[in-house]
Amino acid sequence: MRLTRGEHLASRLNYLALGFIALLALLPFLHIVAQSFSSHQAITSGRVTLWPVDFSFEAYVKVLREQAFLNAFKVSLLRTVIGTMLNVVITCMLAYPLSKAYIKGRSAIMFLIVFTMLFNGGMIPTFLVVKATGLLNSFWVYIIPGAVSAFNVIIMKNFFQGVPPELEESAKIDGSSNIGTLIRIVVPLSMPVIATITLFHAVGHWNAFFDTVLYVTDRNLFPLQVYLRELIMFNQSNISNNNGYSANIDSTLLALESLKAAALIASTVPILIVYPFLQKHFVKGIMLGSVKG
């Protein structure tokens, strides 16, 4: 389709505006990256903008040697992996039967699921339930209370309803069970929505911190976000005291700002790495051609 001169101009203006907004979002991140690779003197003298000054990896070496950082990283990583896997599995197993019209009582179950989206117990009742079930100060308090998302169940259910029933009927004729049909037929055809929901849950688990504030007092169970919050807001870190490091305030001394920047980047990169692997599933039309004849 040929575009008019006005449409070409509008398209270019649109690209310029989006590029400008993207640049505004990227500049603070580049500044943090530059700080993480710069020296103390360069940061305190204000010479660091978007490019490292007096390039050094020392901040990352110190951060990655910090036991509290590594422990928080391990908690966040385990929470993200285990929590996301459990979220996706339970969502699939709940959404699949709800997508079948012949299942009796599914309307009542859907009503209860939607009801939880509109009305919830609130903070205090939820805390009492968590306490009564013995999940306080437990790693599983990060996993079990949020194992099912009503919103994602509805999205998954609607997607499953779009899977051609002929494929499932063919599988059942070949002797496949309901679980077998779900695993071998429905799940492979639903990878776009599964990848999207996986990313939603993974990012949510990686960035979560509020449940730690409510339910966890054991510092060994603090995730990375709580560690970073204490490091940035209260400077509660032993990084600069390792090996008498703080006693030598000279040109090689790392500023706490560079350590904060290095910790921020080290905690951000893992979740950024996940996105490209899921992006390939964010395409439309994967269902085309799945039904032959």
Side-chain angles (χ1 to χ4, degrees):
M1 184 178 67
R2 296 187 61 181
L3 300 178
T4 64
R5 180 178 297 179
E7 289 172 335
H8 274 296
L9 180 61
S11 178
R12 290 173 183 173
L13 290 176
N14 190 30
Y15 281 123
L16 284 175
L18 292 176
F20 180 71
I21 294 172
L23 189 61
L24 288 180
L26 191 60
L27 286 178
F29 186 76
L30 293 177
H31 179 66
I32 295 295
V33 173
Q35 276 195 333
S36 69
F37 287 109
S38 300
S39 66
H40 163 68
Q41 289 81 3
I43 295 174
T44 54
S45 61
R47 290 184 290 142
V48 179
T49 53
L50 301 178
W51 191 256
V53 179
D54 300 333
F55 193 90
S56 172
F57 286 106
E58 202 159 0
Y60 285 96
V61 173
K62 290 295 177 184
V63 166
L64 295 178
R65 286 179 178 174
E66 170 70 9
Q67 188 58 43
F69 175 84
L70 295 177
N71 186 65
F73 190 91
K74 183 180 72 174
V75 172
S76 288
L77 186 63
L78 288 175
R79 172 181 182 162
T80 302
V81 173
I82 297 174
T84 302
M85 289 177 61
L86 193 65
N87 290 140
V88 173
V89 170
I90 292 179
T91 302
C92 288
M93 295 187 68
L94 180 57
Y96 182 62
L98 291 176
S99 67
K100 304 304 171 190
Y102 57 82
I103 299 290
K104 295 182 179 178
R106 69 175 192 136
S107 298
I109 296 175
M110 279 303 301
F111 171 78
L112 294 176
I113 291 174
V114 174
F115 186 83
T116 62
M117 298 176 64
L118 304 176
F119 306 97
N120 60 69
M123 185 184 300
I124 301 302
T126 304
F127 177 84
L128 294 176
V129 171
V130 170
K131 182 180 179 182
T133 52
L135 291 175
L136 287 181
N137 275 327
S138 165
F139 173 77
W140 295 103
V141 76
Y142 298 142
I143 308 296
I144 295 176
V148 178
S149 165
F151 180 74
N152 290 337
V153 169
I154 294 173
I155 292 176
M156 191 83 80
K157 165 187 164 294
N158 291 335
F159 198 91
F160 284 168
Q161 287 177 335
V163 175
E166 293 84 357
L167 292 175
E168 298 181 54
E169 292 171 3
S170 300
K172 289 180 180 177
I173 291 174
D174 291 338
S176 175
S177 63
N178 288 327
I179 295 295
T181 304
L182 172 64
I183 295 174
R184 297 188 185 91
I185 304 295
V186 178
V187 168
L189 293 175
S190 305
M191 286 310 295
V193 68
I194 292 175
T196 303
I197 288 176
T198 300
L199 189 62
F200 285 167
H201 283 299
V203 173
H205 279 296
W206 188 262
N207 292 328
F209 69 95
F210 193 60
D211 46 6
T212 306
V213 177
L214 289 177
Y215 309 128
V216 177
T217 56
D218 184 356
R219 301 186 68 83
N220 292 324
L221 294 175
F222 280 6
L224 201 52
Q225 305 306 325
V226 175
Y227 170 83
L228 293 176
R229 176 178 176 271
E230 292 186 346
L231 177 63
I232 294 172
M233 296 185 65
F234 309 113
N235 292 336
Q236 291 184 3
S237 173
N238 295 321
I239 296 177
S240 60
N241 294 325
N242 291 341
N243 302 323
Y245 200 79
S246 59
N248 301 317
I249 304 177
D250 52 21
S251 60
T252 61
L253 181 63
L254 290 172
L256 186 58
E257 284 73 16
S258 64
L259 295 171
K260 293 176 183 176
L264 286 170
I265 297 303
S267 64
T268 304
V269 168
I271 199 66
L272 292 178
I273 293 175
V274 172
Y275 185 78
F277 292 99
L278 298 177
Q279 188 184 18
K280 63 182 181 181
H281 297 291
F282 296 165
V283 294
K284 296 181 180 179
I286 197 168
M287 296 290 294
L288 296 178
S290 61
V291 180
K292 299 180 180 178

